[in-house]
Amino acid sequence: MTADDRSARALARLLAGVGTLHFLAPKPFDALVPRRLPGTPRAWTYASGAAELAVAAAVALPRTRRAGALAAAGLFAAVFPANVKMARDWRHRPAPLKALAYGRLPAQLPLIGWALHTARAATPPSAE
């Protein structure tokens, strides 16, 4: 197994773990859903959890890895407004919690980069 395969599997595990948490402990995720979105926060929590699980499966399988990794990059970008909401909502919390909330904002960039690297590594050299 190559380093790129191990990296892709780690990305798939991360996505599957977080996706599973959306169903096992949905309440913290509900609080991150921007109020502007139609429907209930719980519906968005479950939908995003299902999306993370589907993307995890796609990244885990070599045949669908490229598409799955591109979807992961899009998913990481799409949840950025939830991280902004968390930072805004937590701005008056104690310093360690506020730092956690603010730290999530720039953390999306390496996740997007990881997903894009996984997509590039999954592309056969002859297809480039």
Side-chain angles (χ1 to χ4, degrees):
M1 182 182 311
T2 69
D4 286 331
D5 288 331
R6 285 191 297 277
S7 179
R9 289 180 185 214
L11 178 60
R13 283 192 302 275
L14 172 74
L15 287 159
V18 175
T20 300
L21 280 176
H22 280 69
F23 293 95
L24 296 178
K27 193 171 181 178
F29 296 100
D30 293 347
L32 301 178
V33 176
R35 290 180 196 94
R36 287 186 214 118
L37 292 176
T40 66
R42 183 61 50 94
W44 285 100
T45 294
Y46 287 157
S48 61
E52 286 176 325
L53 291 171
V55 169
V59 170
L61 299 171
R63 197 170 115 221
T64 57
R65 183 164 294 153
R66 183 175 190 282
L70 291 172
L75 186 61
F76 292 141
V79 300
F80 188 75
N83 292 340
V84 170
K85 182 181 183 309
M86 181 181 184
R88 187 163 167 43
D89 290 350
W90 287 27
R91 67 187 180 278
H92 300 298
R93 293 213 177 168
L97 294 176
K98 188 173 14 179
L100 174 70
Y102 290 162
R104 287 176 57 111
L105 297 171
Q108 291 303 115
L109 290 175
L111 289 172
I112 293 168
W114 185 11
L116 292 174
H117 171 78
T118 300
R120 280 191 303 274
T123 303
S126 61
E128 291 185 11

